[in-house]
Amino acid sequence: MLPTEDQNIIYIEDDPEMIDLVSMILGRRGFQIHGAPGGRKGLDLIIADPPDLILLDLMMPELDGWDVYQQLKAMESTKHI
């Protein structure tokens, strides 16, 4: 799949080095990556500007990936992502 200009990915991960690495790899392929350092910040980004794809770490402090997933599926505006 070749990305188009408007293909937007949000990567929710508590390790900033992983966000940088994945952003660099996918950015070179033309994708637009927005990193979020945790579940709460990720939800805020998703609600503000719904992405085409979400990459989600499951094991995070505070709000883990399963909780983020459940909240996204419960909201009408994000359940399709």
Side-chain angles (χ1 to χ4, degrees):
M1 172 173 83
L2 294 174
T4 61
E5 287 180 25
D6 59 348
Q7 286 186 317
N8 195 11
I9 299 173
I10 292 181
Y11 181 30
I12 304 172
E13 166 68 63
D14 60 324
D15 182 349
E17 291 178 4
M18 285 301 296
I19 292 174
D20 291 344
L21 177 63
V22 170
S23 295
M24 180 182 66
I25 292 168
L26 294 177
R28 287 181 179 169
R29 302 269 194 269
F31 291 96
Q32 196 172 53
I33 312 298
H34 301 282
R40 292 193 197 289
K41 295 224 186 246
L43 279 173
D44 291 343
L45 273 177
I46 293 164
I47 291 167
D49 186 18
D52 299 300
L53 177 71
I54 299 166
L55 300 176
L56 180 59
D57 181 12
L58 295 178
M59 297 174 57
M60 296 182 287
E62 286 186 45
L63 189 62
D64 70 23
W66 289 115
D67 291 334
V68 172
Y69 174 79
Q70 289 173 343
Q71 288 187 36
L72 291 171
K73 290 302 176 188
M75 289 186 279
E76 191 64 35
S77 63
T78 59
K79 70 180 185 180
H80 69 282
I81 303 173

